[in-house]
């Protein structure tokens, strides 16, 4: 089992869109995949159809208050034979802190509690370095960093990089960087290409060659509660996430 954390301290860069669509492609390529939603805003859960109106299902909150700590009760099929979701809900942030006050454990979600039958676990994180993001980093094999194609997003990356090196030092020495990739790439602008070049200089081969362009279908798919490969399989966004996922899977073989 490989655990990948999609992380960036900056909000709105495409973490949730990427976590969901990469998870969906991993499943489509035949890997048993769990999308684990570590963000109380629960965007990834909604993106996979676990939103309001879908009926109450057990979430990470139920797991936190369940004395038997059975994570599998909060894992649900997500529309593809190999795709599953561990949903979040808004009260997760408060629950986590409340449980933390009484508990001796540092983190509540451990590798051992995730059913071992999963080949891949893709974790979506909130845009902050709070306890949920720390928990995800503490159990992960890889960090994957989406970067919005904007100058300010690149400047802000230092915060994320610093946090990743602290996580490596203090929480999880085996945490590796799977890569950086550019999202919201507007092919018509020079500044998007400049962002790519700056990242290439800074990160070298860690920057993935596949970029995710601006594609309105990605936002529509999120609203429809479906991964793009189901909502609009021939959309450019679907094909780019497919190509990106192939590259990520190849890197994890190395
Ligand atoms: N490539 C893209 N083209 C067009 N819209 C996109 C693209 N990627 C993401 N979006 C849209 O941009 C918004 C932000 O994306 P997303 O929610 O994935 O970011 P995030 O990093 O998870 O945000 P947060 O930090 O708030 O969790 C969403 O409305 C999403 O639908
Ligand atoms: Mg998000």
């Amino acid at each position: 089992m490989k655990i990948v954390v999609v992380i960036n301290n900056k909000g709105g860069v495409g973490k949730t869109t990427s976590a969901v669509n990469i998870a969906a492609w991993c499943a489509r390529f035949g890997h048993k995949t769990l999308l684990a939603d570590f963000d109380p805003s629960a965007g990834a859960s909604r993106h996979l159809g676990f939103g309001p109106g879908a009926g109450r299902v057990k979430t990470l909150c139920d797991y936190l208050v369940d004395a038997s700590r059975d994570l599998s009760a909060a894992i649900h099929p997500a529309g593809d034979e190999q795709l599953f979701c561990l949903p979040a809900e808004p009260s997760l942030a408060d629950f986590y802190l409340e449980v933390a006050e009484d508990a001796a454990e540092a983190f509540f979600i451990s590798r051992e509690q995730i059913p071992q039958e999963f080949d891949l676990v893709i974790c979506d994180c909130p845009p902050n370095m709070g306890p949920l993001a720390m928990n995800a980093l503490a159990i992960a094999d890889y960090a994957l960093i989406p970067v919005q194609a904007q100058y300010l997003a690149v400047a802000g990356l230092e915060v994320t990089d610093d946090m990743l090196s602290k996580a490596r030092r203090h929480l999880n020495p085996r945490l590796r960087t799977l890569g950086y990739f550019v999202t919201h790439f507007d092919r018509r602008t020079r500044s998007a290409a400049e962002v790519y070049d700056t990242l290439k200089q800074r990160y070298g081969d860690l920057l993935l060659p596949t970029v995710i362009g601006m594609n309105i279908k990605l936002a529509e798919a999120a609203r429809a509660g479906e991964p793009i490969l189901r909502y609009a399989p021939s959309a450019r966004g679907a094909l780019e996430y497919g190509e990106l996922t192939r590259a990520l899977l190849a890197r994890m073989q190395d």
Side-chain angles (χ1 to χ4, degrees):
M1 181 170 73
K2 300 265 168 54
I3 304 181
V4 179
V5 176
V6 180
I7 197 148
N8 187 323
N9 197 47
K10 188 166 161 31
V13 298
K15 293 181 288 295
T16 298
T17 306
S18 300
V20 166
N21 288 305
I22 290 167
W25 273 111
C26 287
R28 185 61 62 89
F29 290 142
H31 303 279
K32 188 161 185 174
T33 304
L34 176 64
L35 184 288
D37 194 350
F38 280 76
D39 184 352
S41 71
S45 310
R46 282 198 301 276
H47 200 327
L48 281 181
F50 296 92
R56 169 84 174 107
V57 294
K58 288 200 169 174
T59 69
L60 257 179
C61 285
D62 297 280
Y63 161 78
L64 288 179
V65 293
D66 170 15
S68 65
R69 287 281 155 82
D70 175 16
L71 197 61
S72 59
I75 292 177
H76 312 282
D80 185 294
E81 207 184 318
Q82 301 278 50
L83 183 63
F84 294 79
C85 181
L86 170 59
E89 60 182 301
S91 46
L92 179 59
D94 294 340
F95 265 64
Y96 197 97
L97 292 177
E98 247 171 62
V99 180
E101 276 184 8
D102 312 330
E105 312 150 69
F107 297 116
F108 302 110
I109 302 129
S110 69
R111 280 186 87 90
E112 291 67 38
Q113 283 148 335
I114 300 174
Q116 297 302 303
E117 74 228 36
F118 285 105
D119 301 315
L120 289 160
V121 182
I122 312 290
C123 306
D124 186 31
C125 283
N128 61 53
M129 295 309 162
L132 282 152
M134 291 299 156
N135 193 151
L137 288 170
I139 62 171
D141 298 286
Y142 296 105
L144 175 63
I145 304 107
V147 188
Q148 198 169 0
Q150 277 181 0
Y151 171 72
L152 281 176
V154 177
L157 264 182
E158 281 164 25
V159 179
T160 301
D161 287 343
D162 185 47
M163 191 272 312
L164 286 175
S165 42
K166 284 198 178 109
R168 242 171 236 124
R169 261 201 314 276
H170 302 297
L171 291 177
N172 179 1
R174 50 176 220 165
L175 179 70
R176 282 187 280 166
T177 299
L178 186 54
Y180 296 75
F181 65 96
V182 179
T183 63
H184 293 88
F185 188 87
D186 186 346
R187 290 182 171 75
R188 296 164 307 180
T189 66
R190 226 184 126 109
S191 62
E194 282 170 8
V195 162
Y196 184 90
D197 292 343
T198 305
L199 290 170
K200 185 75 193 163
Q201 272 176 18
R202 198 189 293 178
Y203 296 111
D205 287 345
L206 277 179
L207 178 68
L208 285 134
T210 306
V211 298
I212 307 296
M214 292 292 287
N215 189 320
I216 192 69
K217 294 270 181 225
L218 287 165
E220 286 176 15
R223 278 199 295 279
E226 286 190 313
I228 184 96
L229 63 75
R230 274 212 305 275
Y231 179 80
S234 55
R236 193 163 187 167
L239 305 177
E240 286 169 351
Y241 271 112
E243 188 183 306
L244 179 72
T245 304
R246 249 186 234 288
L248 295 173
L249 289 167
R251 280 190 181 193
M252 283 189 270
Q253 300 295 316
D254 297 343

